[in-house]
Amino acid sequence: MARFTDDYLLYLLAQASHRASAEFHARLAGQGVAVSTWRILATLYPDSPATIGELARSCLAKQPTMTRQVARLEAQGLVKRRMAEGDRRRVVVRLTEKGRNMAAGLAAQARAHEMRLLAGLGEEAAARLKETLRGLLSEKGGSA
Amino acid sequence: MARFTDDYLLYLLAQASHRASAEFHARLAGQGVAVSTWRILATLYPDSPATIGELARSCLAKQPTMTRQVARLEAQGLVKRRMAEGDRRRVVVRLTEKGRNMAAGLAAQARAHEMRLLAGLGEEAAARLKETLRGLLSEKGGSA
DNA sequence: GATCATATGATGCAATTTCATATTTCGGCG
DNA sequence: CGCCGAAATATGAAATTGCATCATATGATC
């Protein structure tokens, strides 16, 4: 009998995500960049500040983890933290010049890698895929 | 300007996977079942033994992690390990009766949850989605 | 305008994960 | 057969993560 997982959507999604990312993540590793670092830079790039909580949701991490990751990136001079105007609970994180430069380089590589991936799928299937995924996301609650 | 991630496939895939799974994972947590435990049980269910390495690939974990997870599940009596016939390096893992019962209950809940998810997408889009994901997977190398 | 429920981030600590490497086994080859 | 490189798993040590909780700030209510 076949495996349960062979036709289980959540499994297919998780596998597809993992494998599709594997190549690019290896590329990041080759440059000494952690996946978590890339996710934070990508979320803030090119110029979209975000709070700790927003970053956590966007990067699929828990809030305490994000607090610590942001502290590391700030120590490396890639981002800076600032108190939100009008709400002193919130911490707004944004890219520094150095961080933006690094993000730009990585984002270019990411786009190139994405193009190769999508080419393998064919244009139409690729467009439908993104569409369907966005559908799944909007169904489940707002943007992060 | 929009965020880089808003139209980046790997981000959409990761977010979609994460959010689609969130509800079900919460359900697991409510029953005291770790996601990693569920993944292992689901991979072996209903009766598909796998080696440590295969399990690691299937569950998106590294091999040393899987060695330890399997040890935990074996201590709980959910799986049993056995030396592979003809290759004493390999360790074959399979469900115990107790493990199979637990997996059956969880798999039923997983199917129910999946049906609700797919209903929200519509039948055709759902079928296409699974299809496209399988395409992405087969493109990237064998089944795990 | 004091109080209480909620929201946001920070932090101590335990558990988990991962990296690097060791150990054992296999398969091929001279 | 004995050796060598590769494959599969195990393990020690370090790093990361996440839970529980704390401290602070906000907003609503009376």
Side-chain angles (χ1 to χ4, degrees):
Chain A
M1 197 193 218
R3 291 180 185 233
F4 169 80
T5 45
D6 286 347
D7 184 52
Y8 179 48
L9 178 66
L10 296 191
Y11 174 83
L12 293 174
L13 267 172
Q15 278 288 334
S17 175
H18 189 81
R19 290 213 205 151
S21 298
E23 261 181 38
F24 184 63
H25 288 178
R27 198 187 180 87
L28 289 175
Q31 298 167 71
V33 178
V35 172
S36 56
T37 298
W38 156 240
R39 284 190 173 149
I40 294 172
L41 296 181
T43 299
L44 300 177
Y45 184 77
D47 188 41
S48 306
T51 67
I52 298 283
E54 288 165 349
L55 277 177
R57 281 184 291 278
S58 176
C59 300
L60 315 180
K62 305 294 182 195
Q63 173 266 311
T65 301
M66 187 50 61
T67 290
R68 283 158 173 142
Q69 286 176 343
V70 166
R72 277 172 233 162
L73 292 201
E74 187 172 40
Q76 297 172 47
L78 295 172
V79 305
K80 60 188 171 192
R81 298 154 34 103
R82 170 192 301 186
M83 202 177 64
E85 318 229 344
D87 188 340
R88 277 174 300 183
R89 291 171 302 181
R90 290 191 164 101
V91 172
V92 176
V93 183
R94 66 189 66 219
L95 292 173
T96 60
E97 196 50 33
K98 179 179 172 189
R100 195 176 343 272
N101 290 337
M102 180 164 174
L106 296 175
Q109 296 176 49
R111 281 284 180 231
H113 172 262
E114 181 187 36
M115 295 231 271
R116 287 195 296 278
L117 254 186
L118 292 179
L121 275 180
E123 253 186 69
E124 196 188 322
R128 271 204 316 246
L129 176 58
K130 277 192 179 181
E131 202 54 41
T132 307
L133 292 177
R134 268 195 278 261
L136 254 179
L137 287 179
S138 65
E139 207 181 307
K140 292 265 128 205
S143 52
Chain B
M1 197 192 217
R3 289 176 189 236
F4 169 80
T5 46
D6 285 347
D7 183 53
Y8 180 49
L9 178 66
L10 296 191
Y11 174 83
L12 292 174
L13 267 172
Q15 278 287 335
S17 175
H18 190 82
R19 291 212 204 151
S21 297
E23 260 181 39
F24 184 63
H25 288 178
R27 198 186 179 88
L28 289 174
Q31 299 166 73
V33 179
V35 172
S36 56
T37 298
W38 156 241
R39 285 190 172 147
I40 294 172
L41 296 181
T43 299
L44 300 178
Y45 184 77
D47 188 39
S48 307
T51 67
I52 298 284
E54 288 164 349
L55 277 177
R57 281 185 292 279
S58 176
C59 300
L60 315 181
K62 307 293 183 197
Q63 173 267 312
T65 302
M66 187 51 62
T67 290
R68 283 160 170 140
Q69 285 177 344
V70 166
R72 278 172 233 160
L73 292 201
E74 186 172 39
Q76 295 172 48
L78 295 172
V79 304
K80 60 187 171 193
R81 298 153 33 102
R82 168 192 302 186
M83 202 177 65
E85 317 229 345
D87 188 342
R88 276 173 302 185
R89 291 172 302 181
R90 289 192 164 101
V91 172
V92 175
V93 184
R94 66 189 64 218
L95 292 174
T96 61
E97 195 50 33
K98 180 180 172 189
R100 194 176 343 270
N101 289 337
M102 180 165 174
L106 296 175
Q109 296 176 48
R111 281 285 180 230
H113 173 262
E114 182 188 35
M115 294 230 271
R116 288 196 296 277
L117 254 185
L118 292 179
L121 276 180
E123 252 186 69
E124 196 189 323
R128 272 203 316 246
L129 176 58
K130 278 192 179 181
E131 202 54 41
T132 307
L133 292 177
R134 268 194 278 261
L136 254 179
L137 288 180
S138 64
E139 206 182 307
K140 291 266 128 202
S143 52

